[in-house]
Amino acid sequence: MQVTSYNPQELGDVLIMVLGADTPKQSVIQKGNVVQIKDEQQKVIGYNFFDVAQQLNLQSTDNGQVFLDEAQIATLNNILQNNDFEPDLQVESTPKLVVGDVKEIKSHPDSDHLHVCQIELDNGQMAQIVCGAPNIAVGQKVVVAKVGAMMPSGQIIFAGVLRGVDSAGMVCSARELGLENAPQKRGILVLDNNYSTGSAIDLVKLNQAYQ
């Protein structure tokens, strides 16, 4: 997993790259304009890159998750190498908000309101997602935030375990997607059936469609 974000209005010229979930104990190493964060097992879980806007051609209007191309990743790997860090970053270009098709729902074995859902994503890939929405049903087209997605709130989606059941992603509500006039109640956003399973979600177009 590799989640990259840039928010110059709030943080200045700092590119944040998340490679793993936060842990209670972390170690931080700074060399030059790079900060490396490791967990308690000494696994790298993130980097902060300072003063890189000009090198990466980032814009002051960028705000939130950014997807870097091959040239930008190569630049960051050169920066890491020049500061004696391992240059092992990869291009992450696959969409993280996609249309899912709910294929199967079972009751959670340790909850009276959670559901264990099997949801088809792109290229026939199936994802098991635990969902507590009361309106989820088989046959629906829904918005799925895959592992590695960054929500409009800044929340990053990690693989997790909910009451003993693995869950790889999140089925989204209109409110979680930041849509205007989203209902302030529990429940996922159900898409029209003309949406193609696995296709990427454009939040601007989605917001327009559901006004």
Side-chain angles (χ1 to χ4, degrees):
M1 186 190 78
Q2 187 171 289
V3 182
T4 307
S5 64
Y6 189 66
N7 187 353
Q9 291 80 18
E10 297 292 332
L11 301 175
D13 188 6
V14 184
L15 184 77
I16 297 175
M17 183 170 288
V18 178
L19 305 176
D22 284 339
T23 57
K25 294 182 179 180
Q26 300 177 355
S27 59
V28 175
I29 300 173
Q30 180 166 1
K31 297 179 182 179
N33 287 344
V34 182
V35 171
Q36 182 190 71
I37 304 101
K38 290 184 176 181
D39 63 15
E40 48 201 8
Q41 279 79 44
Q42 294 303 296
K43 177 183 177 181
V44 179
I45 59 173
Y47 289 103
N48 293 339
F49 295 90
F50 296 88
D51 301 325
V52 291
Q54 186 172 0
Q55 297 175 73
L56 299 179
N57 196 28
L58 298 174
Q59 306 301 314
S60 60
T61 53
D62 290 330
N63 183 20
Q65 187 169 15
V66 293
F67 293 90
L68 304 178
D69 60 26
E70 291 185 8
Q72 290 169 315
I73 290 295
T75 297
L76 290 180
N77 276 326
N78 285 335
I79 292 172
L80 290 176
Q81 188 168 35
N82 291 337
N83 287 282
D84 297 324
F85 291 119
E86 189 68 27
D88 57 358
L89 302 179
Q90 305 294 324
V91 175
E92 182 61 78
S93 58
T94 58
K96 299 303 180 183
L97 284 177
V98 300
V99 177
D101 188 345
V102 183
K103 294 295 188 181
E104 179 183 295
I105 297 176
K106 293 183 179 180
S107 297
H108 192 290
D110 189 34
S111 171
D112 59 2
H113 71 281
L114 294 176
H115 312 286
V116 182
C117 307
Q118 303 298 326
I119 301 179
E120 182 180 355
L121 304 177
D122 42 322
N123 300 317
Q125 173 193 2
M126 298 297 293
Q128 177 171 287
I129 300 176
V130 177
C131 176
N135 64 325
I136 193 167
V138 170
Q140 289 175 337
K141 295 288 182 66
V142 296
V143 179
V144 172
K146 299 167 66 174
V147 173
M150 175 177 282
M151 305 303 293
S153 65
Q155 175 191 7
I156 295 176
I157 305 302
F158 295 98
V161 179
L162 295 177
R163 293 197 178 185
V165 176
D166 291 338
S167 184
M170 181 175 73
V171 185
C172 303
S173 69
R175 181 171 55 182
E176 289 164 333
L177 293 168
L179 302 188
E180 295 178 18
N181 303 317
Q184 300 301 304
K185 61 181 181 180
R186 293 179 62 225
I188 57 166
L189 176 67
V190 180
L191 301 173
D192 295 337
N193 282 327
N194 59 356
Y195 281 85
S196 299
T197 301
S199 59
I201 290 290
D202 184 321
L203 287 180
V204 174
K205 292 181 179 179
L206 185 65
N207 191 55
Q208 295 171 345
Y210 280 86
Q211 287 301 302

